[in-house]
Amino acid sequence: MVSSVFQLQCSCNNYPWGKKGKESLAATLCAKTPNTGFQIEDNKEYAEMWMGDYPVLPAKDLKTGEELHKVVDENKEQLLGNSGMKKFGGVVPFLPKILSIAKALPLQIHPDKELSDRLHKKDPEKFTDSNHKPEIAIALGPFEVFAGWKHQNDIQALFSVLPPLEKFLPEQHAHFNNETLKQICQRILTASDEEIATTQNELARIPREKYGKQAYILDLLPRLQDQYSKEDPGNLVTLLTMNFLSLSAGDAIYVPADAPHAYLSGDIVECMARSNNVLNTGFCPRADRDSIELFTAALTFSPHNTEQVKLGRRTTEKSKNGKTSEYAPPMSEFNMLKTSLKEGEKETIRAIAGPSVLFATSGSGKLMADGQTHDINEGYIFFVGQGTEVGYEASSGLEVYQAYAE
């Protein structure tokens, strides 16, 4: 029988949009776990630290080196519980990550369950599971993101007054609805490189006042062009049709399956349903783009303004001492707890009827669970089996996130 609480070692991937070297919070947190041999290279990008049981980039038991999905599979009843096994199929149903973002991620959607199942059957090497992937992102500092759609009135205002955009309308003076928006996106994504570049040059010459409250487009346009190119259609889709949010530490968003998004900059906690499926159509080389027809056919049209994108935080019954709040997205696979303690403060998280993964993003202290006391310092990560109460005592300001399912 394995302990119900054990420390994990994790690793980072190296996507080119990640921050370099020790500028990457994902890398610096990953390096905090002792005795892993993880070394940060100054000129290497570190994009994501994964902390789940997904077979791609899996977390491991720090003591034994065994991959988490194997530990869970060998101890399902103890770690997941009977209800968790029935509900989620014998796996940890969520995947938490730390992301460190230096430039825009690809413009993307994560397909819903029906589409994922079809794609997985057709191409299991590219689409490695049949699950959906709704997700949340919690800012650990300044965080910029494109997510969901602008209000239709705001999109229509741009396409009505900016002549370079008329060619992307399905018909002149079209009545704006979601079908109109889908066709606009398809026309932009299928336009030639020359047409995309010319449109951006023309937009850059239009007086700022013509953009009204959306004049920020002129500020972001050269930045996106520098990161990729003037020929990238992601520049137009994101700036003209999608919400742009600039968030602060503690702010969060929810991205449902099939919703377009592109993270632009910052350090975040991300958590998603247990999947790795994605369709990319912008902010990446043409050779890396997926089917535009498939992408646009799958699009969902909610959320449709910035407030619908944001995910609030609430008090939680899991907390005994009131030092913990909760992010609860509208999905069944997970919620996320956030515990914030000053020096000397204590908190207890009531036993959860399902698995959880907890990780400290700052500070230090003690973790008490399953009759044991562990050091918990910045960057430390633990798996917690179902039915286990967890206590914290901070020796310096301690911030802990805990993804859980039940």
Side-chain angles (χ1 to χ4, degrees):
M1 177 182 292
V2 69
S3 173
S4 291
V5 179
F6 51 92
Q7 192 170 357
L8 299 175
Q9 65 176 94
C10 299
S11 53
C12 289
N13 57 31
N14 308 105
Y15 295 132
W17 50 260
K19 293 184 179 180
K20 283 189 175 182
K22 293 179 182 178
E23 293 181 357
S24 169
L25 182 65
T28 55
L29 291 179
C30 190
K32 297 287 186 180
T33 299
N35 305 318
T36 65
F38 180 79
Q39 298 289 328
I40 300 174
E41 299 177 28
D42 290 341
N43 292 319
K44 194 172 186 177
E45 292 89 358
Y46 296 92
E48 302 174 330
M49 177 172 67
W50 289 28
M51 299 176 283
D53 73 338
Y54 199 83
V56 177
L57 211 66
K60 299 177 182 179
D61 184 323
L62 179 60
K63 284 186 178 180
T64 67
E66 188 173 11
E67 293 181 356
L68 180 57
H69 64 95
K70 294 180 181 178
V71 179
V72 170
D73 189 58
E74 292 164 0
N75 302 275
K76 291 179 184 177
E77 187 171 349
Q78 176 194 351
L79 298 179
L80 303 181
N82 289 326
S83 62
M85 290 169 62
K86 291 178 182 177
K87 188 174 183 180
F88 300 115
V91 297
V92 178
F94 53 82
L95 176 56
K97 304 177 182 179
I98 300 290
L99 271 62
S100 290
I101 306 155
K103 66 177 185 178
L105 276 68
L107 171 60
Q108 61 189 254
I109 64 169
H110 300 301
D112 57 40
K113 285 186 177 181
E114 181 181 353
L115 179 55
S116 289
D117 187 55
R118 286 194 282 118
L119 293 173
H120 177 62
K121 289 176 179 176
K122 183 178 180 180
D123 189 355
E125 289 191 9
K126 179 176 174 62
F127 301 98
T128 52
D129 60 78
S130 58
N131 201 16
H132 66 167
K133 192 182 173 184
E135 63 190 29
I136 67 171
I138 305 170
L140 293 173
F143 172 43
E144 296 176 305
V145 56
F146 295 104
W149 305 103
K150 296 180 182 182
H151 193 283
Q152 285 183 355
N153 292 344
D154 292 334
I155 302 172
Q156 186 169 4
L158 293 173
F159 282 81
S160 298
V161 302
L162 303 179
L165 303 182
E166 291 178 359
K167 57 182 169 288
F168 298 121
L169 291 170
E171 60 183 35
Q172 198 155 2
H173 308 301
H175 172 68
F176 262 71
N177 55 31
N178 289 337
E179 181 58 32
T180 311
L181 182 52
K182 179 184 289 189
Q183 291 185 49
I184 287 172
C185 288
Q186 188 160 23
R187 289 182 177 215
I188 293 174
L189 292 170
T190 55
S192 67
D193 289 354
E194 182 180 1
E195 194 170 18
I196 293 294
T198 299
T199 300
Q200 292 177 63
N201 289 335
E202 293 170 343
L203 290 174
R205 290 194 291 266
I206 294 175
R208 193 176 185 88
E209 57 268 20
K210 289 286 188 179
Y211 288 83
K213 66 180 182 179
Q214 300 182 74
Y216 68 87
I217 290 172
L218 293 174
D219 302 321
L220 287 174
L221 181 58
R223 182 174 160 194
L224 295 177
Q225 291 171 340
D226 287 344
Q227 289 185 4
Y228 292 95
S229 72
K230 281 189 177 182
E231 291 76 28
D232 196 307
N235 299 339
L236 294 179
V237 173
T238 54
L239 291 172
L240 301 174
T241 70
M242 293 173 61
N243 299 304
F244 172 68
L245 296 90
S246 184
L247 304 177
S248 302
D251 294 338
I253 62 169
Y254 169 66
V255 181
D258 298 332
H261 58 289
Y263 300 158
L264 185 54
S265 71
D267 296 307
I268 63 172
V269 170
E270 187 183 48
C271 195
M272 60 206 64
R274 188 182 187 271
S275 175
N276 194 35
N277 294 330
V278 63
L279 294 170
N280 298 322
T281 59
F283 298 150
C284 57
R286 184 175 289 276
D288 294 342
R289 297 173 197 168
D290 292 297
S291 164
I292 294 168
E293 183 178 357
L294 184 61
F295 180 90
T296 54
L299 286 171
T300 187
F301 292 94
S302 177
H304 228 312
N305 61 54
T306 55
E307 291 308 309
Q308 291 176 3
V309 174
K310 294 176 183 177
L311 178 66
R313 197 169 13 148
R314 68 188 189 190
T315 58
T316 176
E317 295 180 353
K318 304 296 184 188
S319 167
K320 285 191 175 182
N321 299 345
K323 303 295 184 181
T324 300
S325 54
E326 184 165 15
Y327 300 91
M331 53 186 289
S332 64
E333 282 86 352
F334 69 87
N335 283 5
M336 180 73 75
L337 302 176
K338 179 184 179 182
T339 300
S340 299
L341 300 177
K342 298 176 183 177
E343 181 180 348
E345 289 185 334
K346 298 179 181 180
E347 174 65 298
T348 299
I349 304 299
R350 292 183 170 89
I352 293 171
S356 61
V357 173
L358 63 88
F359 47 98
T361 55
S362 62
S364 62
K366 299 293 183 181
L367 182 155
M368 292 75 69
D370 198 28
Q372 302 177 63
T373 299
H374 305 265
D375 290 330
I376 181 166
N377 301 325
E378 179 181 273
Y380 283 25
I381 308 153
F382 290 84
F383 180 87
V384 180
Q386 58 85 28
T388 306
E389 186 173 271
V390 175
Y392 304 110
E393 182 173 353
S395 55
S396 66
L398 181 64
E399 189 164 272
V400 180
Y401 290 84
Q402 182 171 353
Y404 75 89
E406 64 179 2

